[in-house]
Structures are given as C-alpha cells and as structure tokens.
Amino acid sequence: MRCYLQAFLLCMVFIFFSLVYVFNQLASTLEDRDGWGLKEQGIPGGRSHDDGHLLRKRPGLAGRDHEEGHDRERSSSPGKHHGDERSHVAVVACGTRLEETLTMLKSAVLLSKKPLHFYIFAEDDLHEPFKNALDSWPRTAQTKFNFTIYPITFPEENAKEWKKLFKPCASQRLFLPLILKEVDSLLYVDTDIIFLQPVEDIWALLSQFDSSHLAAMAPEHEEPRIGWYNRFARHPYYGKTGINSGVMLMNMTRLREKSFKNDMTTVPLKWEEILMPLLQKYKLNITWGDQDLLNIIFHHNPESLYVFPCQWNYRPDHCIYGSNCQQADQEGVFILHGNRGVYHNDKQPAFRAIYEAIQKYPFGENMETSLLQPLEASLRTTTNSYCGRASHLFTKKLKQSILSVQQEVTQRR
C-alpha cells in the first residue's frame, strides 16, 4: 500500500511541475505579445505615399522611416474596407531570395486584372534592392500594385530560436496576423511560387469559407505511399498526409479571434499564446519548422481549415513519379511551387523553364509571342522527365490567362 501511495504522490508532483512549466511558457508568451520586440518596430506600415495613380503607393522602408523622422501616412486599414478589390499578398525573403521573389511578384502583376497589395518582409540589406527593382518597373505595371516593405521581426525573447527554425526567416509567416493587425485577409506565398493565373482567382476562395474556416492550404501529398508526414512525422499532423504551407490563404481577423484546442493544456489558447509553447514542446520532433507547427495546430482544429486542391500548390512531388494531382490533370496547374530549389538546378527542367520565361520576359512586350511561345518551345525539350511530359498542364491555365490579359489590353486601345 505504501508503494502505491508513493507512486501516486510522485505522479502528482510530476503533474504539478508540468502545469507550472506550461503556464510559465504561456506567461512568457503573453509578455512577448505585450512587449513584442516588434515594438511594432516602426512597423506602422513603412513609409507610404500616394503618387496619384490608381492604388500605386511607394512606401519606403519600415523602421527607417521612424529613425529618420519622416513619418508618412500609412495606407488606410488595408483589407478591411468593403468594396476593396485588392488582393493582399505577403512574402518573406531572406538571403539570396531577392530575384526569386521579384519573379514571383512579376508573375502576379502580369496576370492579375485587379489591383494588388504586396507585403514584403525582408532582411534589412534587401530593402533597398526591393524598392529599387519595383520602382524600376514600367508605369503600366506599377499602376497595378502597392507595396510595403517590413523588417524581419520576431518576439524579442525568442528571436534567435524563431529565426533559425527550418530556413532563415521562414517562421516569420506565423507572426503575420500579429504584425499586420489591420489586415483582414491575406494570401501568404513562399518566394518560389509562380502564379499561372490571376491572384484574384485564389483570393475568391475566401468566399467559399464557412463560418468556422480561418485558413486554407493544399495537402502535402495526394498519394499516401509517397507521403512524408504519414510515414516519418514524429508529431501530430493534419488529415491523412498533412498540409503544405507554401500557399496559405488566411482570414486573419478570425485567426486572431479564435481560441485553439491543443495538447498542452485543457484551456484553448489564442494564436499569440500558442506558438511558443508549441515550439518548446515539439522542437526536437519537427523537421519542416513552421509548417509542422501549422500541421499540429490544425490537427487539433480540423474544422478551421479549408483544404483547396493540389492545382493551387503544384510541386515536383505531383509529377516526379508520374502525375498524381487529378485536378491539375483535368484543369491545369493554377499556381506552381518550385520547392527544393528546382528553379535553379537541372533536376526539374520543366519547372525551371517556367521560372526563366517569367523572369526574362520584358514588360510591355506581347505576352503571347514573347512569353508563351518561347516557353512552349522550351518545354518541348524537357519531355525526358515525368514532369516534362506533364508540362502541358503548366501552360494550360497560363495560356488562358495570357489571352485574357491580351484581350483586355486590346479592348483598352
């Protein structure tokens, strides 16, 4: 009997200290939220001024504005106004990702008919190159978008830990709802995304959210036999094969308001409360950083996720062993995701051909003759690979998008 009593007391002591640890982490997170080494870092939206043409705004560098004493009026509550036709797109760029990010932004501008607002989070030494590059684009392109540049910002106490998670700066996306507090909805994309149809088409999926949905992503895999999460993950994940966060559509108002079920405490936690305790619990078990944390969150809150088809986030895994994205087979690829560096090596020449066609296309030229036709010729040389044999799926929607844009240009003339 005494042994049982001792075992019971040991269990109670263990539970007590576990609860102390969890609540200590929560308290630390709440302090971060209030102190937030964001300090909103001059993040009031960067220097922004309207040059008088459509929605084009040319903000300077967030943070520097404050230092130089040139506070400018920020664009008013982006994403909250009824009748706002803009699609709001965020990207995080660090290291050598400047050119790749510009190519992604270029694909969005070329094919979209409705105005765009870009939220560019970048390391300090990339701010000027981004601004100079975007300001150098021709007037016809500049009238289609706004942009704001932000510094990379993490909670002060744990900044180093967040920054080194998976890839440099990748986990910044987790904090976008807490930084862009006035933005209602947002499309986050990785730098290695190429839009093959207008951004407003994926933006329209927000209207398909039911009252419980607050984010949308595509499955990580369509075929469980080659799935990563279902074979190797050492943590909870969403659904049968997990989700990929390279293209993530968010209703950030709902995300900020929701209390999330979790496996750390019986008390549901707000977004700003759950992130650090989650990292502390699983940091030795996660491989893909912030994407794994999102999988854990939506594993416990599956009703909050809208899953869109693989054609909205088409990766080499969808064709490397033969086509396994049924929706793309039927309708074509909508968004190309060149992960694993395939735009910059020879492993998947079809993906590289798409990237280089967008990158090299001169603004103002006829897109059918100067982009589509050279691309189709290049893709015909890639049929020695499975993805090359499926490359007609890459151009199916792109061709429709280009013809639609060209038709609109002709009508305006």
Side-chain angles (χ1 to χ4, degrees):
M1 184 68 183
R2 184 176 299 174
C3 291
Y4 287 121
L5 183 60
Q6 288 176 339
F8 175 75
L9 289 173
L10 282 172
C11 287
M12 292 302 294
V13 169
F14 177 76
I15 291 170
F16 173 76
F17 282 108
S18 296
L19 288 172
V20 168
Y21 172 77
V22 168
F23 284 106
N24 180 56
Q25 291 299 319
L26 291 179
S28 173
T29 303
L30 288 171
E31 286 173 13
D32 286 344
R33 178 186 60 180
D34 297 332
W36 258 80
L38 300 174
K39 290 178 186 135
E40 310 272 299
Q41 270 199 38
I43 279 187
R47 269 185 340 219
S48 254
H49 65 274
D50 192 345
D51 62 10
H53 287 270
L54 194 64
L55 290 175
R56 172 67 178 165
K57 297 199 191 267
R58 304 171 67 186
L61 312 182
R64 290 193 187 179
D65 224 354
H66 197 66
E67 294 165 13
E68 294 169 2
H70 298 297
D71 291 326
R72 309 289 180 89
E73 184 180 348
R74 71 175 296 170
S75 52
S76 58
S77 299
K80 279 198 173 179
H81 294 307
H82 296 293
D84 181 4
E85 286 191 318
R86 292 176 293 175
S87 299
H88 298 261
V89 181
V91 65
V92 179
C94 287
T96 59
R97 300 286 183 157
L98 173 67
E99 192 58 38
E100 189 174 86
T101 307
L102 289 170
T103 303
M104 179 275 291
L105 298 175
K106 186 178 182 181
S107 72
V109 171
L110 287 175
L111 301 178
S112 296
K113 294 181 180 179
K114 293 185 178 179
L116 301 161
H117 189 119
F118 296 133
Y119 302 83
I120 302 168
F121 288 78
E123 291 176 311
D124 291 348
D125 60 348
L126 294 179
H127 287 195
E128 285 293 350
F130 267 119
K131 184 177 183 300
N132 293 339
L134 294 172
D135 283 344
S136 73
W137 287 3
R139 195 71 187 159
T140 50
Q142 290 191 25
T143 56
K144 296 176 73 173
F145 68 95
N146 307 6
F147 71 91
T148 313
I149 299 175
Y150 294 86
I152 299 296
T153 313
F154 295 111
E156 215 168 39
E157 249 184 58
N158 311 102
K160 288 183 180 179
E161 194 164 5
W162 284 114
K163 188 164 185 178
K164 69 182 181 182
L165 185 65
F166 185 42
K167 292 180 181 177
C169 309
S171 59
Q172 178 74 85
R173 87 183 86 181
L174 296 175
F175 300 98
L176 297 181
L178 309 179
I179 298 172
L180 301 175
K181 293 179 180 178
E182 295 184 5
V183 179
D184 176 62
S185 297
L186 189 72
L187 173 64
Y188 166 85
V189 294
D190 284 349
T191 61
D192 51 9
I193 291 297
I194 296 291
F195 290 97
L196 301 179
Q197 69 173 28
V199 176
E200 56 263 27
D201 290 349
I202 188 170
W203 191 254
L205 294 182
L206 287 166
S207 65
Q208 297 185 25
F209 281 22
D210 66 25
S211 58
S212 64
H213 291 141
L214 49 81
M217 285 176 271
E220 173 67 18
H221 286 283
E222 301 299 307
E223 175 51 69
R225 287 176 297 178
I226 61 172
W228 194 92
Y229 283 107
N230 55 296
R231 292 189 298 158
F232 305 117
R234 295 180 294 151
H235 57 79
Y237 56 88
Y238 178 87
K240 293 181 179 179
T241 60
I243 45 175
N244 184 282
S245 59
V247 179
M248 183 178 179
L249 187 63
M250 294 176 276
N251 182 319
M252 298 208 298
T253 299
R254 291 183 182 179
L255 199 149
R256 285 185 288 261
E257 292 172 350
K258 181 176 173 63
S259 295
F260 293 86
K261 300 186 291 290
N262 62 87
D263 58 2
M264 298 171 293
T265 170
T266 56
V267 179
L269 302 175
K270 294 290 189 182
W271 189 257
E272 66 268 26
E273 298 169 340
I274 199 172
L275 296 177
M276 196 61 212
L278 203 62
L279 177 62
Q280 293 299 332
K281 177 171 181 176
Y282 286 107
K283 63 182 176 182
L284 299 179
N285 294 326
I286 58 178
T287 302
W288 309 113
D290 53 311
Q291 178 173 291
D292 290 347
L293 297 182
L294 290 168
N295 265 280
I296 296 167
I297 289 171
F298 287 108
H299 168 85
H300 295 292
N301 301 270
E303 75 287 349
S304 297
L305 187 69
Y306 177 93
V307 180
F308 50 64
C310 46
Q311 65 202 128
W312 294 102
N313 185 352
Y314 191 94
R315 285 156 277 129
D317 284 341
H318 291 120
C319 55
I320 194 171
Y321 304 116
S323 180
N324 61 59
C325 177
Q326 186 177 353
Q327 294 89 344
D329 290 342
Q330 295 169 353
E331 301 176 279
V333 176
F334 296 170
I335 295 177
L336 199 69
H337 185 178
N339 62 346
R340 300 179 184 167
V342 294
Y343 295 150
H344 313 293
N345 58 44
D346 297 323
K347 292 181 179 179
Q348 295 298 334
F351 278 76
R352 183 169 181 170
I354 297 278
Y355 174 81
E356 291 183 348
I358 299 289
Q359 182 189 37
K360 294 175 181 178
Y361 166 74
F363 277 111
E365 296 290 322
N366 182 291
M367 281 200 286
E368 189 174 0
T369 57
S370 298
L371 195 165
L372 184 61
Q373 291 176 8
L375 171 59
E376 290 176 327
S378 180
L379 287 173
R380 284 194 287 270
T381 69
T382 69
T383 54
N384 60 327
S385 67
Y386 279 117
C387 289
R389 289 171 206 157
S391 62
H392 61 285
L393 304 177
F394 298 179
T395 55
K396 185 174 184 177
K397 203 68 183 180
L398 177 63
K399 184 183 297 184
Q400 295 174 13
S401 301
I402 287 175
L403 293 177
S404 179
V405 170
Q406 293 286 113
Q407 186 178 21
E408 188 177 84
V409 169
T410 303
Q411 288 174 349
R412 284 204 303 264
R413 290 175 181 169

